[in-house]
Amino acid sequence: ASMLVCTNDGFTGLDAKALPKQAGHTRTFDLHAYDAGTERNTELRADLVPAPFCGEGGGTDQTNPLLAEGGRIRPHAGITGVGNLPTSFGWRGPVAQVTVTKVD
């Protein structure tokens, strides 16, 4: 699992996939974005953990209780332009790709 930078609770991960059984065989998996459902996605830099490539005005490493939501994991909508993050930080489709090759 990995958190998506420039989101407050976006993540991706890989679980319960069949891996290659024979040496030299490879499997590749496209990973999609999910929203952890812990905070509303304001897309405001002030509500994100500061990261140099998310632009000026990054927030803190503290959760804002005023943004709390129900905690249901669902597909992430991406960066839609409702806050002050540029939509160029957004994505469509997979956000990562994992390739596993059996070396044994």
Side-chain angles (χ1 to χ4, degrees):
S2 178
M3 182 167 180
L4 299 177
V5 178
C6 297
T7 71
N8 56 352
D9 63 352
F11 70 97
T12 191
L14 181 66
D15 185 35
K17 296 291 185 182
L19 299 179
K21 295 182 185 217
Q22 295 180 338
H25 286 216
T26 298
R27 297 250 359 237
T28 299
F29 306 95
D30 290 332
L31 307 184
H32 294 274
Y34 293 93
D35 186 318
T38 57
E39 297 178 306
R40 286 186 298 112
N41 299 326
T42 65
E43 297 180 28
L44 296 172
R45 289 182 179 109
D47 294 332
L48 304 175
V49 174
F53 37 84
C54 292
E56 295 293 320
T60 69
D61 59 356
Q62 303 296 311
T63 298
N64 182 344
L66 299 175
L67 299 178
E69 60 180 5
R72 295 185 66 137
I73 295 172
R74 61 189 180 277
H76 201 293
I79 305 301
T80 62
V82 299
N84 58 7
L85 287 176
T87 55
S88 62
F89 288 176
W91 59 86
R92 294 285 181 254
V95 295
Q97 190 174 73
V98 173
T99 300
V100 179
T101 303
K102 183 163 175 74
V103 296
D104 185 24

